[in-house]
Amino acid sequence: MVPENSKNKNPKIRSFFVFLFLATLFWFLTKFSQDTQATLTTAIEYVTVPNTIVVADNTLKKISFEVAGNGFQLLSHKLKKTSLKIDVEQYYKEGDSIIVIPFQELQKLSSKQLNISEINTISVSELVIHLDKNASKKVPVVLRSEITFKDGYFQQGEIQMVPDSVVIRGPLEALDTLNQISTKILKKKELSESFEEQVALIPIKNKNLSLSASSVTITMNVEEFSQIRLEIPIELKNVPEHIHLKLFPEKIGITFDVPLKDFGSLQAEDFDVICDFSERIEDGSFIIPKLVRFPDNLQHLELETKKVEFLIFK
């Protein structure tokens, strides 16, 4: 059973909070319905910039106003992000290095865009827009990757990257320091099949610079390989006519990995190994063999013999 005094207290408490709320609401409406003065700060956004120019970094990016107006109106400006948009193309003339917007024009633009009826003062007497010439530069894209392959599988051919270069546009001075653009790291583990993937470029920190592309398409062919061993006859080069040589050995074993689809098509005739007599090592009576011709679809080519000895018969 609820005590009698509790029943009497509850309506009084509710009435107190109702009157408190109404009093607060009345105070709020009264205070903010009156005209007041305030300082507002807003960002400046430069829009419709011609392709031949860019707005320089040292141009003003924020502006402050001493304003008068309805309290609700000013409160809304303080609670939300506002920006003053400057149409650069409207004021630009070919060849200009600066644009000057006088106080009266700046006051007019601010009042219209920010919906403020009375602007008393502005933090600048005029807005000076500094301009730089817009130049362009073509630079290569560098792929950053961490790729591993499943046992028996390897990359076949070159990695294809489209586009392989990008055009950077912006102030000439800023372009001078940029000679390449890198991709974000492409990570692949235990690859056993070909793939095509888009990889993002690392963004440029300078906001005045822009790229013609934000990503590249990477294509890699991956095939299964098998190891082969062949014996290749050695071809002699630059031996004088009056000298006869005997090589030891006369053939060299070569090992390599070949795509399974080409496994049965390779022969010794597809390779050339030479020993150049003019490059002989006289003290040791041997020549370093060189593999000078081989199919381009092979991996891990290795000569089993690193040096070839010789005897001279005159």
Side-chain angles (χ1 to χ4, degrees):
M1 182 175 180
V2 180
E4 187 66 28
N5 58 348
S6 296
K7 291 183 178 181
N8 294 332
K9 285 182 179 179
N10 287 340
K12 291 181 180 180
I13 293 173
R14 284 198 296 269
S15 298
F16 171 78
F17 281 110
V18 169
F19 282 116
L20 179 62
F21 171 76
L22 292 174
T24 303
L25 180 62
F26 179 76
W27 173 86
F28 182 84
L29 293 173
T30 302
K31 181 174 179 60
F32 285 94
S33 61
Q34 296 174 353
D35 287 343
T36 185
Q37 292 189 344
T39 300
L40 298 180
T41 299
T42 187
I44 302 177
E45 186 178 350
Y46 299 97
V47 299
T48 323
V49 181
N51 292 332
T52 55
I53 60 169
V54 291
V55 176
D57 279 338
N58 59 341
T59 300
L60 196 66
K61 296 177 175 61
K62 287 186 177 181
I63 192 169
S64 297
F65 308 93
E66 293 291 336
V67 302
N70 182 278
F72 287 107
Q73 185 184 48
L74 299 182
L75 179 62
S76 67
H77 279 283
K78 286 183 174 291
L79 293 177
K80 67 180 181 181
K81 289 185 178 180
T82 59
S83 64
L84 176 63
K85 292 180 172 58
I86 303 296
D87 187 339
V88 176
E89 190 173 41
Q90 179 181 345
Y91 301 99
Y92 175 70
K93 292 181 181 178
E94 188 68 33
D96 283 349
S97 59
I98 62 169
I99 295 172
V100 178
I101 301 179
F103 180 85
Q104 291 81 3
E105 178 70 9
L106 191 58
Q107 188 180 39
K108 181 181 176 182
L109 285 172
S110 304
S111 179
K112 182 178 179 180
Q113 290 189 33
L114 302 177
N115 193 27
I116 299 173
S117 57
E118 186 178 344
I119 297 177
N120 297 327
T121 60
I122 304 178
S123 58
V124 291
S125 58
E126 59 185 13
L127 178 60
V128 181
I129 306 172
H130 299 272
L131 305 174
D132 286 331
K133 289 184 178 179
N134 201 7
S136 63
K137 183 179 182 179
K138 190 174 184 180
V139 298
V141 176
V142 177
L143 174 64
R144 299 166 65 225
S145 62
E146 296 177 1
I147 297 175
T148 61
F149 297 90
K150 189 176 179 180
D151 287 345
Y153 290 83
F154 300 102
Q155 173 186 329
Q156 175 65 6
E158 297 293 328
I159 295 176
Q160 301 299 315
M161 181 164 56
V162 180
D164 61 1
S165 58
V166 292
V167 176
I168 310 175
R169 291 183 175 84
L172 186 60
E173 291 183 0
L175 291 178
D176 288 342
T177 59
L178 290 172
N179 297 310
Q180 65 182 37
I181 294 294
S182 298
T183 67
K184 293 186 176 180
I185 298 178
L186 172 64
K187 294 184 179 181
K188 296 285 183 182
K189 291 184 178 180
E190 297 294 302
L191 273 179
S192 61
E193 56 184 20
S194 303
F195 71 90
E196 179 178 293
E197 187 171 319
Q198 274 200 331
V199 182
L201 301 178
I202 296 178
I204 299 177
K205 293 182 180 179
N206 190 331
K207 294 182 179 180
N208 288 328
L209 296 177
S210 63
L211 294 175
S212 60
S214 59
S215 63
V216 295
T217 300
I218 302 299
T219 303
M220 177 188 287
N221 291 322
V222 177
E223 292 191 27
E224 188 174 3
F225 281 66
S226 182
Q227 191 173 81
I228 291 181
R229 182 185 182 278
L230 293 175
E231 287 203 347
I232 313 298
I234 299 172
E235 182 182 353
L236 279 168
K237 295 284 187 181
N238 299 316
V239 180
E241 292 184 1
H242 65 281
I243 291 178
H244 297 282
L245 290 184
K246 177 71 174 178
L247 299 179
F248 301 95
E250 294 182 332
K251 292 184 177 182
I252 287 183
I254 180 174
T255 60
F256 51 87
D257 293 310
V258 60
L260 284 181
K261 62 182 179 62
D262 300 322
F263 186 84
S265 62
L266 291 174
Q267 301 177 357
E269 290 76 12
D270 298 317
F271 301 82
D272 284 335
V273 176
I274 66 167
C275 281
D276 191 333
F277 185 72
S278 66
E279 297 177 357
R280 66 192 180 278
I281 309 299
E282 300 239 6
D283 292 343
S285 297
F286 65 85
I287 305 172
I288 304 299
K290 295 180 180 178
L291 179 63
V292 296
R293 186 175 69 89
F294 54 88
D296 60 6
N297 63 337
L298 308 182
Q299 297 277 352
H300 307 134
L301 288 92
E302 186 174 356
L303 296 176
E304 293 179 348
T305 303
K306 306 304 180 186
K307 61 183 180 180
V308 176
E309 297 180 346
F310 62 87
L311 289 176
I312 298 178
F313 300 93
K314 296 186 178 179

